[in-house]
């Protein structure tokens, strides 16, 4: 297969390119060349997607498939216009869903209004999700047999968000670790390598359909128990964390994976069954945790977001004294 990966230098798109090369495919990555290097064995084409596609991209043998992770509608339009005959695998997001309390998936979950013009995707989840809706529509209008995958929280080695790294850093803990919220709250993650492998398979098979690209939902107590097998988890409820000014999800004052309930009951509880039936094979959370910890140990510059261990200890002391 001749595969074009739009990107290829960071996290998921890089993992896709690497997996495709490992399987023996002819892989080309098109990017600006400013965010890192492509994997060994990959051909690189320079393309700033604010500009028309370069001749180097469209000359030569046609591509069998294209993998695109774009979030800007104009970028998707240009790529589709340049490569209308390839099979498309578009990586979207569960942020296309308008109701974070509802876990309903493709065909059932209500989508955000499409935003067809380019906006700053970091400005708000509404802008990010709405542009992704528009990108999905553009892809499916050009290639009705395209595959659209909507990941939730992607984790694993190389994660630039630092969210799961928060827990991987604590994975060898033997003392008390603050566990946020209700132990029954559902959460789900997907390892970047498992998602990349499935994306390559969808491209190989020229498979179509729209899927929530998520691992099985499980109580956060089970996930943290597997990720931190020797820790003494101390469950601290939502009301206390909110009163102490702890932020959810990500950021320096946050506890990652924790989301306020019931407002976010559905965000990390989507149905993984259709994706699993279509070939997604998630590895155990414990394996992802160990391998993420190894990456953190090998790369001191790796990002970790969330409260510090000193802040955590202070919170636990306040929790006991309440």
């Amino acid at each position: 297969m001749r595969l074009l990966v739009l990107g290829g230098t960071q996290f998921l798109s890089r993992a896709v390119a690497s997996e495709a090369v490992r399987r023996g495919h002819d892989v080309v990555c098109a990017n600006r060349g400013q965010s890192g290097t492509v994997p060994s064995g990959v051909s690189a084409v320079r393309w700033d997607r604010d500009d028309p596609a370069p001749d180097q991209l469209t000359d030569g043998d046609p591509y069998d498939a294209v993998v695109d992770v774009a979030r800007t509608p104009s970028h998707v339009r240009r790529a589709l216009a340049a490569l209308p005959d390839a099979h498309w695998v578009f990586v979207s997001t569960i942020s296309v869903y308008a109701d974070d309390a509802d876990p309903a998936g493709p065909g059932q979950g209500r989508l955000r209004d499409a935003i067809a013009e380019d906006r700053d995707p970091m400005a708000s989840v509404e802008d990010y999700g709405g542009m992704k809706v528009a990108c999905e529509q553009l892809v499916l209008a050009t290639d009705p047999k395209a595959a659209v995958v909507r990941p939730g929280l992607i984790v694993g080695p190389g994660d630039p968000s630092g969210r799961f790294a928060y827990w991987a850093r604590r994975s060898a803990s033997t003392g008390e670790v603050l566990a946020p919220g209700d132990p029954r709250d559902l959460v789900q993650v997907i390892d970047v390598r498992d998602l990349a492998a499935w994306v390559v398979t969808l491209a190989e098979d020229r498979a179509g359909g729209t899927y929530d690209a998520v691992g099985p939902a499980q109580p956060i107590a089970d996930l943290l128990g597997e990720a931190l097998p020797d820790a003494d988890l101390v469950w601290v409820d939502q009301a206390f964390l909110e009163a102490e000014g702890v932020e959810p999800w990500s950021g320096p004052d946050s506890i990652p994976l924790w989301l306020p309930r019931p407002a976010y009951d559905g965000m990390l509880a989507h149905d993984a069954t259709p994706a699993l039936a279509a070939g997604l094979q998630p590895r155990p959370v414990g394996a992802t945790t160990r391998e993420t910890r190894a990456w953190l140990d090998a790369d001191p510059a790796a990002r970790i977001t969330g409260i510090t261990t000193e802040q955590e200890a202070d919170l636990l002391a306040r929790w006991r004294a309440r």
Side-chain angles (χ1 to χ4, degrees), residues 219-305:
I220 191 171
D222 292 352
L223 184 146
L224 294 184
E226 187 176 352
L228 291 76
D230 300 317
D232 178 12
L233 297 176
V234 180
W235 293 95
V236 177
D237 68 34
Q238 176 174 315
F240 176 85
L241 294 174
E242 290 177 334
E244 291 290 328
V246 178
E247 296 293 331
W249 196 237
S250 67
D253 296 318
S254 74
I255 298 180
L257 281 188
W258 170 53
L259 287 168
R261 312 300 171 114
Y264 290 91
D265 270 348
M267 187 171 171
L268 295 181
H270 286 263
D271 184 6
T273 304
L276 300 178
L280 178 61
Q281 298 180 10
R283 71 192 67 199
V285 168
T288 295
T289 306
R290 289 189 297 273
E291 291 150 9
T292 304
R293 177 61 183 262
W295 164 65
L296 291 173
D297 290 344
D299 185 359
R303 184 183 180 207
I304 300 174
T305 191

Side-chain angles (χ1 to χ4, degrees), residues 195-217:
L195 179 55
W198 185 47
V199 166
V200 173
T201 297
L202 292 172
E204 289 173 337
D205 296 344
R206 300 182 68 85
T210 300
Y211 303 93
D212 288 340
V214 295

Side-chain angles (χ1 to χ4, degrees), residues 170 172-177 230-232:
R170 288 161 167 75
S173 298
T174 55
E176 291 185 339
V177 172
D230 300 317
D232 178 12

